Amino acid sequence: MPALLRRNNLFVLVTYLALTLVPFVPLLFGQTIDHPLRIIITEIGLWLVIWSIFKRPAWFHWLLFPAFFALPTEIYLRKFYGQGITTHHLGIITETSPREAMEFLGDKIWWMALILAVVVLWWALSWLAASRTRDLDLEGPSRWLGWLVLTVGLCIWLYGQEIGVQAVSVASANSKPVASESQGMHLGKLPKWAATPLEADPVSRTWPFGLAVRGYDFWKEREYLDDLEHKNSQFHFGAHQASQQNTPQIVVMVIGESSRYDRWSLNGYQRDTNPLLSKESNLVSFTDVITSVSATRLSVPVMVSRKPATESLKAGFAEKSFITAYKEAGFKTYWISNQMSYGKFDTPVSVFANEADVVQFLNLGGFTDTSNLDAILLPQLQKAMGDPAAKKLIVLHTLGNHWNYSHRYPQQFDKWQPSLFGIERPAYTNLANKPAISNSYDSSILYVDWFLSQVIATLKDSRQLSAMMYFSDHGQTLYDGSCKIAFHGHNTQFEFHIPALMWYSDLYQKTYPDKVEQLLRHKRARMSTENVFHSLLDLADIRYPDERLEWSFLSSKLRPHRRYVDSYGWSDYDNSTFKGDCREVIDNGKPIRQQRD
């Protein structure tokens, strides 16, 4: 023991202890930690394994450099956003140029440089201390213990991969053993608790080892993106703008999130949730638009490309989005997002976002309670509009009305009471909170009204040929009546029927009177998010060889099409009944069988 208290040994051990305790930093900020014991046990096992493999700290210390380098960012994110570095944050870091980073940091760049210099010095000094001592070498029984932990862990992992893992922590009394053909005997599934330390999620919560898991996830996401980009690299629409090629013009596409049609006063809701938009004379709200799937990662690709709704559950798509069509027509394109860029629920969207000339993901908090408000998009919108390019397409992807609703707007928009505003972790499954949940949701709609009015005001100020579309990706269920479900991911009419609108400038109306006439004519037409791609290109008079104007609500050729929704297969929405207070969509015929890749 006295040997461990020598200067070099103590410095190395304290350094590793400090790194190990990073997951517990939130406790300093009054935050809670899920499964702290699991984190501690996992970290002890991982330290034992890596020490056993390399024997000397000096021989694995260099592997810890990324953890030292990322430490300031990790602590910053945990303090202000309640989470550590994710694949999304790694995506922002890798896609942000040094110039953009300098602009973002401003005067803080020198503080950041100083912090990084201290961290690098800390790593160098601890490596020097590790290289000067042999007291910390792991030898004899201790090292064999590490190899034993590794061996047992691998065996358990292989067993779980081959036989399976129980879905719950305790085996069900009615569960049946799974036969192993290779052994000729019956073997039960691995208990959930035994597999937990070897799963990616628990390991990703540790430090410094979790950083490697997050890096691996990011690498897989990049591979997925690169593969899709490679497959689509030769795709072209052959698009061109038929008129107004030399006219300065701006098209804004706002993608909403979790917004529900019948909570907009524009659509007849008794509460005045749209006091500003209702005053806009050049605004048309569509009354009968649906989305096919109540999940962002599946619904947005249908909106921005020609991907059929009935293929929305399949990964990838062999074509590009309207962004590329606009680029071919001479527009500079922007994708400015307050959502996530990487991760299992976000990458299908970022595949299309990356087609843009300028891509910005601004939200460091994801869907957490400390996420940015959508107002963060407005300065970047103004900056994009100030670009010298004559023609611009700007996509704004909002957080809109995503749970937690009370964290989607500032306090001055907390209009209806009681609400969830100021409650850090409301019990959303407690039906006693139903009025507060509903009130907060309406207040979040009120904020969307303000946000969209700001976008319109900005476009008006430009005095250019301009237009804006808004479509929500899906709606929400809100414990309606006796309905016992809420949020999205269900098969209710509340989640499929979405708000959608278009605003146009006076100059746009003067330039394209026929399109405005058709827009007004079709505001009550039966449509879906599949109409967005075709209508958005028609909006700017962009033509291409295999265009389908029968899908554009700005064209006299618009024709109704069958609208399918994800409910027990692909159900025909217009040939369905809506069951109970949840208004569950039930096809009166036979739903089409769904296919997944």
Side-chain angles (χ1 to χ4, degrees):
M1 181 62 69
L4 297 180
L5 298 179
R6 293 171 185 167
R7 184 178 59 184
N8 287 334
N9 300 339
L10 190 61
F11 185 38
V12 172
L13 292 176
V14 169
T15 292
Y16 292 169
L17 178 62
L19 292 178
T20 302
L21 293 177
V22 168
F24 298 91
V25 166
L27 295 175
L28 300 177
F29 310 129
Q31 301 166 4
T32 59
I33 300 173
D34 295 329
H35 308 296
L37 183 59
R38 179 191 299 174
I39 294 174
I40 293 173
I41 293 174
T42 302
E43 288 191 323
I44 292 174
L46 290 171
W47 274 115
L48 184 59
V49 167
I50 194 172
W51 218 308
S52 299
I53 293 174
F54 287 91
K55 184 179 177 180
R56 291 191 64 193
W59 291 349
F60 66 75
H61 192 82
W62 60 274
L63 291 173
L64 302 177
F65 183 75
F68 280 83
F69 187 78
L71 188 57
T73 302
E74 177 81 6
I75 295 176
Y76 174 84
L77 290 172
R78 288 189 179 276
K79 174 176 174 55
F80 293 103
Y81 295 98
Q83 61 176 308
I85 295 172
T86 66
T87 53
H88 167 63
H89 299 119
L90 293 175
I92 291 177
I93 293 170
T94 57
E95 292 181 353
T96 300
S97 67
R99 181 180 61 83
E100 289 175 333
M102 293 281 286
E103 289 179 357
F104 176 77
L105 291 171
D107 295 337
K108 299 183 182 68
I109 186 64
W110 302 111
W111 283 105
M112 180 62 72
L114 178 61
I115 292 172
L116 288 178
V118 170
V119 168
V120 171
L121 179 62
W122 180 21
W123 175 86
L125 291 176
S126 54
W127 175 83
L128 187 63
S131 65
R132 288 180 173 178
T133 181
R134 300 299 300 268
D135 296 331
L136 299 178
D137 290 7
L138 199 62
E139 297 178 304
S142 299
R143 191 179 186 192
W144 286 113
L145 177 61
W147 282 104
L148 178 62
V149 170
L150 177 60
T151 302
V152 171
L154 287 174
C155 289
I156 293 174
W157 180 79
L158 290 172
Y159 184 97
Q161 293 293 307
E162 180 69 22
I163 306 301
V165 180
Q166 292 177 7
V168 293
S169 58
V170 180
S172 171
N174 297 322
S175 63
K176 296 181 180 180
V178 178
S180 171
E181 297 179 0
S182 60
Q183 298 297 327
M185 58 184 294
H186 294 287
L187 298 174
K189 289 186 176 182
L190 192 68
K192 183 66 177 178
W193 62 266
T196 293
L198 301 173
E199 293 176 345
D201 181 64
V203 175
S204 69
R205 296 174 186 271
T206 66
W207 193 272
F209 313 101
L211 195 61
V213 176
R214 300 172 219 177
Y216 176 69
D217 286 342
F218 173 69
W219 175 74
K220 289 195 300 181
E221 298 290 348
R222 278 303 323 172
E223 288 243 303
Y224 174 71
L225 278 174
D226 292 342
D227 181 58
L228 288 179
E229 289 173 3
H230 176 72
K231 290 178 180 178
N232 295 347
S233 61
Q234 302 304 315
F235 180 84
H236 298 283
F237 289 101
H240 68 281
Q241 193 173 31
S243 61
Q244 309 302 321
Q245 294 95 330
N246 300 318
T247 304
Q249 51 199 288
I250 303 170
V251 176
V252 174
M253 176 66 202
V254 181
I255 301 176
E257 168 68 60
S258 302
S259 201
R260 176 168 150 169
Y261 172 85
D262 64 355
R263 291 302 184 99
W264 288 52
S265 56
L266 279 177
N267 303 324
Y269 189 42
Q270 67 272 19
R271 285 180 171 175
D272 191 11
T273 53
N274 302 122
L276 300 177
L277 291 178
S278 62
K279 298 175 182 178
E280 295 292 343
S281 57
N282 292 0
L283 186 142
V284 174
S285 178
F286 301 108
T287 64
D288 195 359
V289 179
I290 66 158
T291 185
S292 296
V293 189
S294 57
T296 301
R297 67 186 181 94
L298 302 176
S299 62
V300 171
V302 173
M303 188 185 302
V304 303
S305 73
R306 294 190 293 190
K307 187 175 188 178
T310 52
E311 293 184 13
S312 58
L313 303 185
K314 296 181 179 180
F317 185 53
E319 292 185 6
K320 293 186 177 180
S321 73
F322 59 65
I323 294 174
T324 291
Y326 266 83
K327 288 171 69 173
E328 292 178 6
F331 283 71
K332 185 169 184 178
T333 56
Y334 296 78
W335 186 287
I336 308 173
S337 177
N338 194 25
Q339 294 225 4
M340 304 283 276
S341 57
Y342 288 87
K344 119 185 227 193
F345 299 110
D346 312 288
T347 303
V349 177
S350 64
V351 167
F352 295 109
N354 285 335
E355 295 175 24
D357 296 308
V358 178
V359 181
Q360 294 177 298
F361 288 93
L362 305 175
N363 193 351
L364 295 177
F367 295 111
T368 65
D369 295 342
T370 48
S371 300
N372 299 324
L373 299 177
D374 284 332
I376 196 174
L377 300 172
L378 296 175
Q380 298 306 316
L381 169 64
Q382 292 179 325
K383 182 178 178 180
M385 289 175 58
D387 189 284
K391 300 187 295 184
K392 295 176 277 287
L393 167 71
I394 305 170
V395 180
L396 303 177
H397 194 183
T398 67
L399 265 184
N401 311 109
H402 196 286
W403 174 263
N404 180 339
Y405 311 131
S406 64
H407 290 95
R408 301 286 84 84
Y409 56 85
Q411 187 170 9
Q412 60 265 36
F413 286 83
D414 192 38
K415 182 175 182 179
W416 292 283
Q417 302 298 321
S419 77
L420 300 176
F421 198 88
I423 302 176
E424 183 177 351
R425 293 189 176 184
Y428 56 84
T429 58
N430 185 352
L431 290 180
N433 286 330
K434 177 179 172 179
I437 290 173
S438 181
N439 289 336
S440 292
Y441 186 78
D442 286 348
S443 293
S444 72
I445 299 288
L446 186 66
Y447 184 69
V448 171
D449 174 78
W450 173 85
F451 174 80
L452 292 177
S453 69
Q454 294 299 304
V455 174
I456 291 172
T458 305
L459 291 173
K460 285 181 180 178
D461 291 343
S462 73
R463 300 185 181 277
Q464 292 187 20
L465 178 67
S466 59
M468 180 199 78
M469 275 191 196
Y470 167 89
F471 278 72
S472 183
D473 57 358
H474 54 77
Q476 290 279 275
T477 304
L478 295 168
Y479 296 125
D480 300 272
S482 61
C483 184
K484 296 298 190 295
I485 59 174
F487 313 120
H488 61 272
H490 313 296
N491 58 341
T492 73
Q493 184 188 30
F494 302 122
E495 297 177 31
F496 294 133
H497 192 188
I498 59 170
L501 56 84
M502 177 176 161
W503 173 90
Y504 51 89
S505 67
D506 291 337
L507 183 55
Y508 184 90
Q509 184 176 24
K510 182 179 179 180
T511 305
Y512 297 117
D514 294 341
K515 294 184 186 299
V516 173
E517 180 184 353
Q518 296 303 320
L519 171 68
L520 295 171
R521 176 187 172 193
H522 295 137
K523 65 181 181 180
R524 293 183 176 85
R526 290 182 174 181
M527 296 184 292
S528 73
T529 52
E530 289 178 284
N531 291 93
V532 173
F533 174 93
H534 308 278
S535 301
L536 195 62
L537 266 61
D538 192 18
L539 181 155
D541 207 26
I542 294 175
R543 310 267 75 92
Y544 50 102
D546 55 346
E547 67 183 6
R548 289 180 281 177
L549 290 175
E550 66 272 18
W551 289 77
S552 169
F553 52 71
L554 293 159
S555 171
S556 61
K557 298 181 180 180
L558 177 69
R559 296 293 180 269
H561 62 279
R562 191 160 292 180
R563 303 187 296 176
Y564 291 104
V565 295
D566 177 22
S567 184
Y568 303 109
W570 291 118
S571 293
D572 184 344
Y573 182 83
D574 299 306
N575 184 40
S576 295
T577 56
F578 306 115
K579 179 181 177 182
D581 285 348
C582 292
R583 297 191 66 78
E584 186 181 19
V585 178
I586 307 295
D587 197 327
N588 293 326
K590 185 177 181 180
I592 298 174
R593 183 180 178 183
Q594 293 174 332
Q595 293 182 344
R596 294 172 170 83
D597 285 350

